[in-house]
Structures are given as structure tokens and as C-alpha cells.
Amino acid sequence: MGHSNISVFVPHIGCPHMCAFCNQRTITGTEKIPHADDVKRICTQAMNEVKDVSQTEIAFFGGSFTAVPREYMLELLGAAQEFIGNDKFKGIRISTRPDYISTEILDILRDNHVTAIELGAQSMSDVVLEANERGHTVQDVENAAKLIKSYGCFDLGLQMMIGLYKSNRETELETWSKIAALSPKTVRIYPVVILNGTRLGDLYKSGEYKPMDFDEVVKICSYLLTEADKLGIDVIKLGLHASEVVEEQMLGGFYHPAFRELCEGINYRSLIAEELGKHGNISDIASVVISVPKRQISKAIGQKKANIEYFKDLGVNIKIVGHEGSDKIKINEIIMRGGEKKCILNHLNCRALSLFQIK
């Protein structure tokens, strides 16, 4: 069983100011401030419901955890301690700002069984950070990440936002390059959702902020998925979680309830096209049968059969079937326009293309 979190949302009280894109009540769906009794109640319930507690962390999300009043931070950490250890949860995961990390804070987190720290980098461009009123610099992110890793007891996570005010494709790729250079264990990638009641929303309504094209953002995120896999970085989240509140307050941006699957569909399309190209010109292919891991069939087909339709427009009829066990995509059969059966995997030594790991 994979990793899971027991989330406790600490909405906004730790943030020193409001970022241009932020409306924490809308993002988290709550404005209730949790206390020790809430933490204990949530953890007690989860202990009876989670199948593998050894791979589960208690996660304080929603605000900048290390920027909350110290007494309150210790209250929340203290309430979680009885649920960590043998036959209990793995540890504690927190998210915070990079400019609220210090040796004093890290000593406290280490002593209270924090096992993972996620930093809200958002961008690695000082121009973009300033334009979106983040209140920290690229250097703050780099210093905090290196300090966290120096302890040797924390998993480092970095969070990135795509499509912020004054960003473009080049700055997004530069941000990714700098994030990857810090060797985080995990990343979260959030395409921007423009919410009502935010500074970004005002800039959008005034016409000052003109977001990138939706399809361009999908392509960027698809690329980042493949690059992260090559580097062994786990993309634990891609896209804002589905929420009726977000949908009601959204003015624009890059929200889709299955955003990650959109990106994975694009990557499947590229893999299929690459493999087909090895058997001649795609225009010479009439039909093909492709086998993928059974649990990935919907992603190979694409949202609303997008990949099937894409190749159909090129004149190729694709049938996608599933197989058990192997995490490979296989060309089972290709029929050329002249009727020639080009390749049958079970009888010929045709290469099976290794598929990037899909989380």
C-alpha cells in the first residue's frame, strides 16, 4: 500500500500576509481553527480506518505551520505524539513557508517526530514571487531546502505553482530546473486557479493578468511529470483537489477535476506515437492493438477518448486492451494499409516500451 496522509487543516493563521493568489477558506473548504482535541479526535478515528498506519503521516496543511504562534504549534504537535510509534502512524508532515525555517524550528520539529517538511516555493523567479506578493525570495527557498536536508531526518517536499502572474513557459521550466537541483523527495504541482476575493482575481478582472493558454499549461505539467520520474522525484499532487467551493469561487485559471489524468493522457499519447513511429510512417498504419497495464486503460485512452480520437484523425484506428503484471506498454499488433500484419508481439521480438511510473 502507498503513502497516505491524515490531514489537519490549519487555515491561514500562520501566514504573515496574504499572497496574491490565496483564499485559504476557499482552498481548504474551512475556516475553523483546530486545537489539540480536534487533532486527537481526527487521529483516533483514522487509527480505526487506515489499513496501513506504518505508511501514514499526520499532516498539518493549509497554512504556514512554522509561522503560527509557537505555543499553538507545540499544542498541535503535542496532541499528535501519542499516535506516533510502533503500530501507529509513521510521523508528522507539515507545509510551511521557506522564510520560516531555522535551526531552532527544525530542532523542535525533529524532537516532535516530524518526518516530512514541504516548502511552498511556488516559483523560483524573484520577479514572479514579488509580483504575486509572496514575501520571500528564491534564495530563501534554497537556504531552507539545504538546511532541512542537512538534518538527515526529514523528507523534503517542494510545492510549485504554474501560471502565476508574470510567469511564462520559460520561467516555469527555470523554476522546475532549480527545484530539481534541490533534490526533493516529493513535489506538488498546482496550476493556478484564479479565485474571487484575491489580488490575482482583481488583476484578472482588470485585464492586467492574462493567464497562459490552458493547453499550454497541460503540456508543461505533462513534461514535468516525465522529468520528475526520470529524477526519481515523486509528484504526490498535480492540480488542485476537486471542490464545489473552488468551482463556485473560480474566475479562471487551470482547474480541472481530473487535471493529472489529462497530463498522463498526453504522455501516453507521446509514448504510443513514439512506438508506432518505429514501425514506419504513422500514415501507413491502418490499425493497431496496444496493450497497457489494466489499471491504466482509462489514461491510455485519454479524457473523453482524446487519444483514440487523436490517432483516428491521423487515420489510425487504435484499440487499447489491458494486461496484468507488467508496467509496460506493448504493441500487440499493427496492420498496415496494404493489409500486412506488421507486428505481433507474442511471436516476434518486438520491443516493449517501458512506461514511466504513474502515481
Side-chain angles (χ1 to χ4, degrees):
M1 180 180 175
H3 175 271
S4 63
N5 291 325
I6 304 303
S7 297
V8 181
F9 290 104
V10 186
H12 200 67
I13 59 172
C15 299
H17 64 279
M18 184 76 77
C19 300
F21 51 80
C22 189
N23 183 331
Q24 273 292 329
R25 180 179 180 183
T26 298
I27 293 170
T28 64
T30 183
E31 62 178 359
K32 182 180 182 296
I33 298 173
H35 287 282
D37 289 346
D38 298 302
V39 174
K40 292 180 179 181
R41 173 181 53 79
I42 291 169
C43 291
T44 298
Q45 180 179 346
M47 284 289 293
N48 297 321
E49 296 175 353
V50 174
K51 292 182 179 179
D52 187 358
V53 292
S54 68
Q55 294 301 312
T56 302
E57 290 172 313
I58 303 165
F60 292 107
F61 287 153
S64 295
F65 188 74
T66 60
V68 303
R70 186 58 48 82
E71 183 178 348
Y72 178 56
M73 184 178 82
L74 292 171
E75 175 192 343
L76 297 178
L77 289 172
Q81 296 307 300
E82 65 183 273
F83 300 96
I84 299 167
N86 294 333
D87 299 322
K88 297 179 182 178
F89 296 127
K90 174 183 176 181
I92 296 172
R93 174 177 292 263
I94 68 152
S95 64
T96 193
R97 294 173 57 87
D99 51 342
Y100 278 78
I101 290 291
S102 66
T103 54
E104 182 220 358
I105 287 171
L106 292 178
D107 287 347
I108 292 172
L109 298 181
R110 178 197 58 203
D111 294 344
N112 282 275
H113 299 101
V114 171
T115 45
I117 301 171
E118 296 187 27
L119 297 177
Q122 315 313 359
S123 175
M124 296 296 274
S125 162
D126 282 328
V127 171
V128 174
L129 291 173
E130 182 177 1
N132 290 272
E133 302 174 15
R134 277 296 289 167
H136 68 78
T137 66
V138 171
Q139 193 64 57
D140 291 327
V141 178
E142 293 174 341
N143 290 345
K146 291 172 183 177
L147 185 59
I148 288 167
K149 294 197 74 172
S150 74
Y151 271 65
C153 59
F154 303 115
D155 288 341
L156 172 66
L158 292 171
Q159 300 171 2
M160 173 182 179
M161 296 185 74
I162 306 286
L164 285 168
Y165 178 44
K166 292 198 175 180
S167 72
N168 54 41
R169 186 178 188 278
E170 288 68 32
T171 57
E172 304 302 1
L173 296 181
E174 180 184 356
T175 286
W176 171 254
S177 178
K178 290 182 177 180
I179 282 177
L182 295 171
S183 301
K185 181 173 183 179
T186 64
V187 294
R188 295 178 191 262
I189 302 172
Y190 293 112
V192 170
V193 176
I194 307 167
L195 299 172
N196 203 16
T198 65
R199 171 65 175 154
L200 205 59
D202 293 341
L203 290 168
Y204 177 71
K205 287 187 281 188
S206 73
E208 173 67 20
Y209 167 45
K210 294 179 173 60
M212 288 187 283
D213 181 73
F214 186 93
D215 289 343
E216 176 67 12
V217 169
V218 172
K219 289 177 183 177
I220 291 171
C221 292
S222 301
Y223 171 77
L224 298 187
L225 267 181
T226 60
E227 290 302 297
D229 184 71
K230 290 176 185 176
L231 296 171
I233 299 172
D234 189 2
V235 181
I236 57 177
K237 187 71 175 176
L238 175 55
L240 201 60
H241 67 276
S243 163
E244 290 183 9
V245 178
V246 169
E247 292 178 6
E248 289 171 1
Q249 295 296 317
M250 182 177 66
L251 297 174
F254 314 106
Y255 175 77
H256 188 284
F259 191 91
R260 184 179 191 129
E261 192 158 305
L262 283 179
C263 298
E264 291 171 337
I266 292 289
N267 287 336
Y268 256 108
R269 180 188 303 173
S270 297
L271 289 171
I272 292 169
E274 177 186 347
E275 189 67 4
L276 290 180
K278 294 172 182 175
H279 299 282
N281 293 327
I282 289 181
S283 60
D284 294 331
I285 298 173
S287 64
V288 60
V289 179
I290 297 171
S291 179
V292 303
K294 188 171 286 188
R295 66 185 181 281
Q296 306 295 347
I297 289 177
S298 66
K299 295 170 184 176
I301 291 172
Q303 284 276 310
K304 298 181 179 179
K305 299 184 178 180
N307 290 344
I308 302 295
E309 294 301 318
Y310 173 83
F311 286 103
K312 186 176 181 180
D313 288 343
L314 296 177
V316 182
N317 290 316
I318 286 189
K319 180 180 180 180
I320 294 177
V321 298
H323 60 251
E324 300 285 358
S326 172
D327 278 342
K328 293 180 181 295
I329 178 172
K330 306 173 183 177
I331 303 295
N332 281 5
E333 177 180 284
I334 294 178
I335 297 179
M336 309 304 286
R337 294 207 177 279
E340 175 191 1
K341 189 174 287 186
K342 179 84 172 182
C343 171
I344 300 177
L345 185 68
N346 291 336
H347 298 116
L348 299 177
N349 186 25
C350 296
R351 188 178 71 86
L353 180 66
S354 295
L355 178 65
F356 66 91
Q357 185 179 0
I358 293 179
K359 312 296 190 295

